[in-house]
């Protein structure tokens, strides 16, 4: 390992008090981007996100089972309003019969669903549901918002357009769950994870709203469906020579890392049987990085939190299987996989395992970054965290990490990437065109020189020696 690469651990308790995940509607689905940190202080408007093209059809007068993701059980209650700007309508639906400043508190702060009676005789094509959740420990006026664009109609689309009615019930398309096929899961059977080939299993991760499942991979395989072959065979990922890595202490966690060619290899172990995560961004990054994706509004204010604009890798393990993914977060919302942001999972190899009450993730990643990635070069701000398990927080659920299982570091990487890494953003076709253009320019230059050489020979035939291989 080059002596110019070193890790300076600051391990600050930092101001991660208001961090990681809060509220986002699941059904009806929230506006895109459906982030869960759209608070009343940092985001614009009454929703924190502008209206989009997705609009859910609901039947006027029907009973709706409203559901939402909850990453942290804040104090206080919640409320739901039906809003139709064209009709100048703002109707409080939850708490039923409540007043202007009333909040639903009877269901408790851990609630993630509520039956809602939709109004009879009220129809609209461009209305929305506005869900608000208090966080009274942060102030009486502090609220999170999540809005769902809807249509209230006399007859809604059956099975959310993601299935067919058979025998009076919805038979959902592949990858869909729920009585109206309203939810999406990442797998349903082991076959979705290349299970018949022995590459992975489909395991249940969260049942708080619906049975959400993900693929967990056997040793030697990785990817969202365990479709990629890892660089380590079964059991080999656990074997490595510590002398070949730089070892650093991250609070109760341990980090091993090394740079080899155009890649960085990382091994991180933490005292948890839940998730383990590592994140980074350029140390000189500013709040302007939150203007991503550029078609969505940037959070306001001057604060720049350690979680803002973070490239991340997060992994979990269970039953001898592992899952590691490439993530990103624009703000303090729950990190989302790179595909959510228009990028891709570009891990070159990965695995995760549990042993003696600890979870370890190992991954290889290109130094160059793509969409929803930061290049691993120069001075980086590094954050780390791992999941807790305490009643509300279930194993392997990506929710709030707790106050004692996170920290900040600074990582010094080489200031420049290898030349081949700098070309990573170009497609093979583009590279071919560039190479052809360079060769063409060289040939043109040679031709010009030869023509010039001949003219000089004509002007001074007695004293000039031509540029020729024979001279």
């Amino acid at each position: 390992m080059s002596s110019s690469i070193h890790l300076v651990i600051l391990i600050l308790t930092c101001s991660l008090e208001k961090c990681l995940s809060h509220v986002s509607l699941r059904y009806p689905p929230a506006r895109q981007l459906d982030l869960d940190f759209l608070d009343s202080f940092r985001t614009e408007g009454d929703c924190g996100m502008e209206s989009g093209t997705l609009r859910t059809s609901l039947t006027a007068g029907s009973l709706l089972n409203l559901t939402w993701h909850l990453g942290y059980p804040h104090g206080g209650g919640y409320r739901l309003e039906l809003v139709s700007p064209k009709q100048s309508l703002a109707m409080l639906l939850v708490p039923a019969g409540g007043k202007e400043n009333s909040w639903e508190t009877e269901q408790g702060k851990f609630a993630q669903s509520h039956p809602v009676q939709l109004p009879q005789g009220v129809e609209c094509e461009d209305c929305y549901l506005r869900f608000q959740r208090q966080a009274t420990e942060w102030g009486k006026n502090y609220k999170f918002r999540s809005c769902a664009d809807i249509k209230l109609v006399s007859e809604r689309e059956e099975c959310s357009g993601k299935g067919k009615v058979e025998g009076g019930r919805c038979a959902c398309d592949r990858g869909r769950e729920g009585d109206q096929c309203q939810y999406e899961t990442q797998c349903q059977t082991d076959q979705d994870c290349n299970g018949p080939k022995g590459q992975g299993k489909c395991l249940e991760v969260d049942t708080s709203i619906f049975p959400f499942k993900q693929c967990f991979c056997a040793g030697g395989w990785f990817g969202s469906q365990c479709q990629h072959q890892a660089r380590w065979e079964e059991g080999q990922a656990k074997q490595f020579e510590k002398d070949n890595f730089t070892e650093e202490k991250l609070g109760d966690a341990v980090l091993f890392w090394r740079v080899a060619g155009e890649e960085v290899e990382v091994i991180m172990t933490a005292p948890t049987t839940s998730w383990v995560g590592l994140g980074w961004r350029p140390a000189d990054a500013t709040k302007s990085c939150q203007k991503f994706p550029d078609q969505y509004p940037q959070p306001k204010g001057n604060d720049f939190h350690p979680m803002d604009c973070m490239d991340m890798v997060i992994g979990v393990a269970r039953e001898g299987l592992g899952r590691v993914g490439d993530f990103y977060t624009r703000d303090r919302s729950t990190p989302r996989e790179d595909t959510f942001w228009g990028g891709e999972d570009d891990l070159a190899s990965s695995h995760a395992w549990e042993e003696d009450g600890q979870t370890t993730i190992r991954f290889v990643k290109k130094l160059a970054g793509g969409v929803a990635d930061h290049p691993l070069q120069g001075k980086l701000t590094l954050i780390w965290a791992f999941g807790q398990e305490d009643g509300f927080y279930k194993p392997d659920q990506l929710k709030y990490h707790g106050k004692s299982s996170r920290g900040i570091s600074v990582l010094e990487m080489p200031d420049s990437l290898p030349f081949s890494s700098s070309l990573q953003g170009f497609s093979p076709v583009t590279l071919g065109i560039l190479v052809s253009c360079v060769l063409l320019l060289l040939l043109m230059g040679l031709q010009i020189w030869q023509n010039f050489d001949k003219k000089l020979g004509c002007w001074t035939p007695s004293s000039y020696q031509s540029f020729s291989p024979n001279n």
Side-chain angles (χ1 to χ4, degrees):
M1 181 62 58
S2 171
S3 61
S4 63
I5 306 171
H6 61 282
L7 186 63
V8 184
I9 303 299
L10 301 178
I11 312 229
L12 306 175
T13 55
C14 69
S15 72
L16 292 173
E17 292 291 325
K18 301 178 182 178
C19 171
L20 231 196
S21 63
H22 302 275
V23 173
S24 177
L25 285 173
R26 282 292 176 262
Y27 188 76
R31 291 175 174 176
Q32 295 296 317
L33 298 167
D34 57 337
L35 306 179
D36 57 18
F37 201 95
L38 302 178
D39 67 338
S40 54
F41 281 71
R42 296 174 181 82
T43 54
E44 300 283 357
D46 61 351
C47 292
M49 192 62 64
E50 297 174 356
S51 179
T53 57
L54 176 65
R55 195 167 293 275
T56 304
S57 295
L58 301 175
T59 305
S62 66
L63 186 65
L64 166 70
N65 182 32
L66 185 82
T67 59
W68 59 91
H69 159 77
L70 183 68
Y72 183 93
H74 289 285
Y78 54 88
R79 56 188 281 131
L80 180 72
E81 298 167 279
L82 171 64
V83 182
S84 177
K86 288 187 177 180
Q87 300 180 24
S88 300
L89 175 68
M91 181 183 299
L92 181 65
L93 302 181
V94 178
K99 298 181 180 180
E100 182 178 356
N101 294 316
S102 58
W103 296 81
E104 175 63 51
T105 58
E106 291 184 4
Q107 301 297 323
K109 66 179 184 178
F110 300 107
Q112 291 186 247
S113 64
H114 192 102
V116 179
Q117 183 64 55
L118 296 175
Q120 185 74 45
V122 177
E123 296 187 13
C124 53
E125 289 291 325
D126 57 354
C127 44
Y128 60 91
L129 294 175
R130 181 172 68 156
F131 183 75
Q132 297 183 82
R133 180 68 166 80
Q134 290 178 304
T136 52
E137 68 271 33
W138 294 354
K140 63 180 182 180
N141 295 321
Y142 198 103
K143 299 182 289 289
F144 292 99
R145 297 89 54 76
S146 183
C147 292
D149 293 317
I150 65 167
K151 293 189 294 184
L152 275 183
V153 296
S154 56
E155 291 186 14
R156 70 176 179 184
E157 186 178 23
E158 294 289 354
C159 306
S160 304
K162 303 295 183 181
K164 296 180 180 180
V165 177
E166 296 180 0
R169 302 179 62 181
C170 286
C172 300
D173 295 343
R174 191 171 185 83
R176 306 297 297 193
E177 296 282 353
D179 62 337
Q180 289 295 318
C181 308
Q182 67 269 49
Y183 302 116
E184 185 176 7
T185 186
Q186 293 190 5
C187 65
Q188 291 176 307
T189 68
D190 290 347
Q191 187 172 358
D192 298 327
C193 309
N194 285 288
K197 300 177 183 178
Q199 296 171 204
K201 290 185 178 180
C202 182
L203 301 180
E204 199 169 76
V205 176
D206 192 345
T207 59
S208 54
I209 299 175
F210 72 99
F212 177 69
K213 299 178 181 180
Q214 291 181 312
C215 291
F216 283 66
C217 304
W221 300 95
F222 74 105
S224 61
Q225 295 180 301
C226 308
Q227 71 274 33
H228 300 305
Q229 190 165 6
R231 297 182 181 180
W232 319 286
E233 298 291 338
E234 180 92 35
Q236 289 184 351
K238 300 180 182 181
Q239 304 170 10
F240 63 97
E241 293 291 336
K242 292 184 179 180
D243 292 342
N244 295 332
F245 293 79
T246 296
E247 178 180 354
E248 300 291 350
K249 189 75 172 172
L250 302 177
D252 293 330
V254 180
L255 179 73
F256 298 92
W257 67 284
R258 65 178 176 181
V259 172
E262 301 176 358
E263 298 175 332
V264 62
E265 183 173 4
V266 175
I267 303 170
M268 181 177 171
T269 300
T272 181
T273 54
S274 188
W275 58 269
V276 174
L278 190 69
W280 60 90
R281 73 182 181 210
D284 59 357
T286 65
K287 192 174 177 65
S288 62
C289 67
Q290 290 187 291
K291 184 58 178 172
F292 171 76
D294 56 13
Q295 66 267 38
Y296 296 99
Q298 176 183 343
K300 59 184 180 180
N302 297 319
D303 62 319
F304 192 43
H305 193 271
M307 275 193 67
D308 294 341
C309 305
M310 276 289 173
D311 190 359
M312 295 181 173
V313 172
I314 300 173
V316 294
R318 185 189 295 182
E319 299 179 14
L321 308 170
R323 176 183 179 85
V324 183
D326 194 0
F327 288 75
Y328 185 86
T329 180
R330 183 195 75 164
D331 47 43
R332 285 167 247 190
S333 297
T334 301
R336 307 291 286 271
E337 291 176 309
D338 279 12
T339 50
F340 172 84
W341 304 97
E344 59 183 18
D345 188 322
D346 55 6
L347 298 181
S349 188
S350 67
H351 191 50
W353 64 91
E354 287 181 4
E355 200 168 65
D356 300 326
Q358 298 192 103
T359 296
T360 300
I361 61 173
R362 183 175 185 176
F363 65 90
V364 178
K365 199 175 192 301
K366 293 288 186 181
L367 292 172
V371 176
D373 287 319
H374 292 307
L376 286 156
Q377 65 179 107
K379 189 175 182 180
L380 302 174
T381 297
L382 190 78
I383 64 171
W384 56 269
F386 50 89
Q388 58 178 319
E389 298 175 44
D390 183 15
F392 174 74
Y393 303 100
K394 306 301 182 184
D396 304 329
Q397 290 183 358
L398 187 55
K399 294 189 175 185
Y400 180 61
H401 41 61
K403 297 180 180 180
S404 61
S405 54
R406 70 328 177 49
I408 306 178
S409 307
V410 172
L411 178 65
E412 295 281 356
M413 299 288 285
D415 288 330
S416 60
L417 297 174
F419 176 71
S420 56
S421 291
S422 65
L423 298 176
Q424 186 177 1
F426 296 99
S427 68
V429 174
T430 303
L431 286 173
I433 294 173
L434 287 173
V435 171
S436 299
C437 290
V438 170
L439 291 175
L440 181 60
L441 289 172
L442 288 173
L443 289 173
M444 290 175 63
L446 181 60
Q447 184 65 48
I448 291 171
W449 171 254
Q450 287 178 339
N451 291 338
F452 182 68
D453 179 69
K454 290 178 181 179
K455 288 182 179 180
L456 285 178
C458 293
W459 293 338
T460 57
S462 60
S463 62
Y464 180 72
Q465 290 189 349
S466 173
F467 177 74
S468 170
N470 298 323
N471 291 332

